[in-house]
């Protein structure tokens, strides 16, 4: 598991996608990730059921080799493309080659990550990852305690989550431009609090399905907003790809990892209801941080004018 996490290319793929397709098209491209997750989960389940679990790992290996080959061919095609082509133009560095080729030091990276706006953004991402980790890991534990908490209901909840991703990823750019990144993140955390509160007060497992439709807000549009914010924060620096990797580490590593650990402790001592109520309270308090950043952004032009 540690090796798999260490070999993740999420940050690089995200930044490369933004450079090739632009921020306006990122959500539509990211939408295919949700479709791939849904179809891959279905295919993997069918293979495991009919052919055993060993075939699943062989399938994963062959898919990985095929993707690596595709990426290699795409990179070779972009290098050999004619000068002035659109692909080269999008991927072309904006700074001199000598400056861009210089590897930034760890001290420079830490100084960048500890700037107030970046540091607060990372705290927001950790809080979002924590709440997402609680819901991913312990929702089914909660449903097993309720009437009709069957595997069918759990599968339908995953279907509702994936369906809710489609419109929010597809319309991510106009939504972000209309409302702004920080208001979206604040609203996402509020919806996360609502979703977890709903799970804690459930009396019938079937009623989890309406709440799972909020996944499009708590994950999809929030993920797009965080990705675009990280791209903007690192624009003009040498940390574009690194920033996306740090965001992924905060969301999945620190956020969801600590959720699995702390959630297990709370679940053992207080039960799933108290766990979801505590996580909902954390999401509610964390929703104030994006609003604070948005307020600072509104006041900054006044300070600059003064």
């Amino acid at each position: 598991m540690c090796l798999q996490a260490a070999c993740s290319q999420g940050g690089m793929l995200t930044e490369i996608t933004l450079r090739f397709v632009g921020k306006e098209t990122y959500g539509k491209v990211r939408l295919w990730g949700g479709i791939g997750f849904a179809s891959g989960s279905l295919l993997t389940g069918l293979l495991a059921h009919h052919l055993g679990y060993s075939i699943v790992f062989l399938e994963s290996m062959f898919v990985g080799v095929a993707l690596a080959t595709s990426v290699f061919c795409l990179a070779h095609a972009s290098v050999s493309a004619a000068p002035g082509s659109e692909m080269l133009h999008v991927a072309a560095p904006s700074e001199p080659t000598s400056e861009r080729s210089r590897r930034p030091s760890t001290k420079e990276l830490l100084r960048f990550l500890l700037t107030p706006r970046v540091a607060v953004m990372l705290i927001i991402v950790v809080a979002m990852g924590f709440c997402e980790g609680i819901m991913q890991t312990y929702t089914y534990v909660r449903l097993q305690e309720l009437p009709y908490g069957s595997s069918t209901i759990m599968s339908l909840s995953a279907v509702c989550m994936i369906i809710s991703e489609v419109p929010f990823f597809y319309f991510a750019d106009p939504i972000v431009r209309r409302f702004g990144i920080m208001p979206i993140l604040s609203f996402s955390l509020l919806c996360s609090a609502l979703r977890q509160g709903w799970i804690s007060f459930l009396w019938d497992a079937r009623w989890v399905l309406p709440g799972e439709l909020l996944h499009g807000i708590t994950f999809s549009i929030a993920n797009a907003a965080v990705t675009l914010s990280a791209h903007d924060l690192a624009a003009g620096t040498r940390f574009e790809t690194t920033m996306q990797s740090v965001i992924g580490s905060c969301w999945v590593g620190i956020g969801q990892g600590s959720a699995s650990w702390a959630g297990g402790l709370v679940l053992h001592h207080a039960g799933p209801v108290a766990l979801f109520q505590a996580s909902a309270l954390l999401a509610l308090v964390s929703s104030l941080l994006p609003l604070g950043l948005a307020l600072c952004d509104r006041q900054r032009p006044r300070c600059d004018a003064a």
Side-chain angles (χ1 to χ4, degrees), residues 1-214:
M1 294 297 291
C2 291
L3 286 174
Q4 182 183 18
C7 296
S8 174
Q9 309 90 8
M12 289 185 291
L13 291 176
T14 299
E15 184 60 30
I16 290 172
T17 301
L18 284 169
R19 293 184 185 183
F20 271 83
V21 305
K23 297 193 296 183
E24 296 79 8
T25 318
Y26 170 76
K28 295 182 177 64
V29 174
R30 179 60 180 82
L31 168 63
W32 290 96
I35 296 175
F37 179 83
S39 57
S41 299
L42 176 62
L43 176 62
T44 301
L46 292 175
L47 288 175
H49 178 73
H50 293 287
L51 301 177
Y53 288 105
S54 298
I55 196 66
V56 173
F57 295 96
L58 290 174
E59 173 212 4
S60 178
M61 181 184 70
F62 283 116
V63 170
V65 171
L67 289 176
T69 305
S70 301
V71 172
F72 176 80
C73 295
L74 179 63
H76 180 73
S78 66
V79 171
S80 59
S85 65
E86 182 179 357
M87 184 175 293
L88 277 179
H89 175 72
V90 174
S94 57
E95 299 180 15
T97 305
S98 60
E99 180 65 19
R100 295 286 294 190
S101 61
R102 185 178 73 85
R103 180 177 298 177
S105 64
T106 304
K107 184 181 296 185
E108 290 175 322
L109 175 61
L110 290 177
R111 189 183 301 116
F112 170 73
L113 295 178
L114 291 177
T115 55
R117 184 173 181 81
V118 176
V120 173
M121 186 64 193
L122 295 180
I123 294 174
I124 294 172
V125 172
V126 169
M128 297 177 68
F130 185 92
C131 296
E132 187 71 24
I134 292 294
M135 289 183 288
Q136 285 186 356
T137 308
Y138 298 107
T139 295
Y140 296 153
V141 177
R142 169 66 175 145
L143 295 181
Q144 288 176 350
E145 294 185 340
L146 300 172
Y148 304 102
S150 62
S151 58
T152 302
I153 294 298
M154 297 177 188
S155 301
L156 288 176
S157 69
V159 171
C160 290
M161 290 167 57
I162 295 170
I163 290 175
S164 68
E165 290 185 1
V166 174
F168 287 100
F169 270 133
Y170 190 83
F171 296 105
D173 179 66
I175 293 175
V176 170
R177 284 191 283 107
R178 173 65 178 84
F179 297 101
I181 290 177
M182 293 306 152
I184 286 176
L185 295 183
S186 180
F187 184 65
S188 173
L189 285 166
L190 286 174
C191 289
S192 180
L194 177 62
R195 184 179 170 189
Q196 293 177 94
W198 176 249
I199 293 174
S200 69
F201 288 109
L202 281 179
W203 62 95
D204 187 322
R206 292 173 295 183
W207 283 98
V208 75
L209 301 181
E212 297 301 90
L213 293 175
L214 290 174

